[in-house]
Amino acid sequence: FDELTFNVEIPAAYSSRCYGVMKGFNAKAQYLSDGSLSASVRIPAGMKENLFRKLNAICEGNARIEEVK
């Protein structure tokens, strides 16, 4: 299977609600001093849309998701 790695930054206003979602994807997540959430997640390529959909539903499109090449 192809796997993709993403760095994700969640604004503080949404971080507590997204933490569980990130842990569901076995992400390495940590809260930053400003209350935002920073995470690295490695998932099968087929799960990409699922990850994006779940985070954007909670964050109203304010999550920053960047693929690591």
Side-chain angles (χ1 to χ4, degrees):
F1 294 103
D2 287 336
E3 288 193 333
L4 304 172
T5 302
F6 297 95
N7 287 330
V8 180
E9 291 184 19
I10 307 294
Y14 311 101
S15 62
S16 63
R17 289 184 283 162
C18 288
Y19 186 82
V21 172
M22 296 307 298
K23 283 301 184 182
F25 285 100
N26 293 318
K28 296 176 184 169
Q30 65 180 0
Y31 285 100
L32 303 179
S33 62
D34 64 356
S36 62
L37 184 66
S38 177
S40 176
V41 61
R42 185 173 178 93
I43 56 172
M47 298 285 291
K48 176 181 174 179
E49 292 302 319
N50 191 25
L51 172 68
F52 282 33
R53 188 174 54 251
K54 285 186 176 188
L55 291 177
N56 283 319
I58 295 169
C59 297
E60 302 168 356
N62 291 306
R64 195 173 119 228
I65 307 168
E66 186 175 290
E67 185 174 352
V68 177
K69 302 284 179 177

